[in-house]
Every structure is written in structure tokens, then in C-alpha cells.
Amino acid sequence: MSATTTRDRILDALQDILIEQGFSAVTLEGVAAAAGVSKGGLLYHFPSKAAMMEGLIRRLSDLAESEFREAVESGEGVVRVFLRTSLPQSAEEADAYGAILAALRSKEGMSEASRELVRHFFEEWSRLLHRELDDPVLAETIRLVGDGLYLSAVVGLPQPEPEVLQAVMDRLIEQADAVRNRTPEQG
């Protein structure tokens, strides 16, 4: 079995345990058993619980970085990509982020690097929104709406009716289009 496959199986097992049982249930032995590897095999890839958590957060960071690239490089624009990705794409994604946020709040077994990676997700969206929009208040409003939608979904709070949510997003996009920064090459 390749190292990448083993590493991914370990991270998948970690994510499953986080979702199903919570951070307090995560042990090196339990993750190794769920991944079908020996404890020594797990320790080869992740020498500690904190290292495993950092590995999972780094994997999620790769997904976030691809969303940042898409927001900047696509014709869709930062505001549209941010709002579109402000709702978890699946229940599993919501559960995984919820478990990670709970682990971060517990302050146990989490490295400062893990905390910094999660902080970066939120800060980078803010930076990109402010760079795209001439209106800092609107940029913050859009960020707060997106963060609120995401965090509400992650913790299982009620979501707005779909037609109301779409109207909110349409209005924010309309306002953003009116104040979008235009560089000389954008015309």
C-alpha cells in the first residue's frame, strides 16, 4: 500500500471518528484500528494526535486554496464564489468542519499551526472580498453573511427558506457588481 493511500485512510478514519463520536473520542489506537493500520504505521505518518489533526486541517486547507484560486481566476468573481461556497456542500462537510471547530475550541491536542490554518481560511476570504470591492462595509457585510451561513449550517442552526436565501445572495451580488474594483485591464 502506498504512503499516500495509508495517510489518506488515516485521515479518513480520523474524520469519521470526529463526526461520529467527537474530538474526545479520538485516540491514536482508535484511529489506527479504524484505518486498518498498526499503531506503529499510524505513528510513522502522524507522531501525535495533534499531528493527525493538523494533517486533516491541511487536507481541508488544500480544498480552500482551490476555492481561493477559483474565486480569483474564474470570471465568476470572488463575491459569487464566496457566497456559493458559504453553505457546506454536504452533511459530511458540515460535520467535519463542526468537529474541527469543536476541537479548536477545546484547546486540547491542537497545534498553533492548526489554529493558524483555520484562521487563514476566514482571513483569506476577507482579504479577497476587500480586494474585489471598493466598499469595505459591503465587503464585511458579505463576509459576515457568508461566515454566518456556513457556521450556522455547521452547528445545525435553522437556515433561511431557499427563496429568501437566494434573494439575499442576489441582492448582495447586485450591490457588489455596482462597487467592484476595476483595474485598467478589466475595463
Side-chain angles (χ1 to χ4, degrees), residues 4-127:
T4 302
T5 303
T6 301
R7 183 179 175 83
D8 286 338
R9 282 192 5 242
I10 293 167
L11 293 176
D12 290 343
L14 171 61
Q15 182 171 315
D16 290 345
I17 291 170
L18 283 169
I19 291 169
E20 294 166 13
Q21 301 170 44
F23 182 69
S24 61
V26 174
T27 64
L28 296 174
E29 296 81 6
V31 173
V37 300
S38 67
K39 185 175 176 186
L42 181 141
L43 290 171
Y44 173 79
H45 295 283
F46 302 103
S48 67
K49 185 175 172 177
M52 276 193 309
M53 288 300 296
E54 187 174 330
L56 181 59
I57 292 169
R58 285 195 184 284
R59 186 163 74 172
L60 294 172
S61 178
D62 291 342
L63 174 64
E65 291 297 329
S66 72
E67 288 175 350
F68 301 149
R69 275 191 305 280
E70 177 188 356
V72 171
E73 295 171 1
S74 75
E76 193 176 7
V78 173
V79 171
R80 283 175 175 80
V81 173
F82 176 70
L83 289 173
R84 180 172 43 78
T85 60
S86 288
L87 287 173
Q89 302 302 303
S90 67
E92 182 180 78
E93 179 185 346
D95 289 345
Y97 274 100
I100 287 169
L101 291 174
L104 287 169
R105 296 270 311 139
S106 78
K107 299 187 186 336
E108 295 176 25
M110 297 293 288
S111 69
E112 186 54 36
S114 293
R115 293 180 199 292
E116 190 57 38
L117 281 169
V118 172
R119 212 173 1 258
H120 172 71
F121 300 161
F122 291 92
E123 290 172 349
E124 184 63 7
W125 277 123
S126 180
R127 187 185 73 73

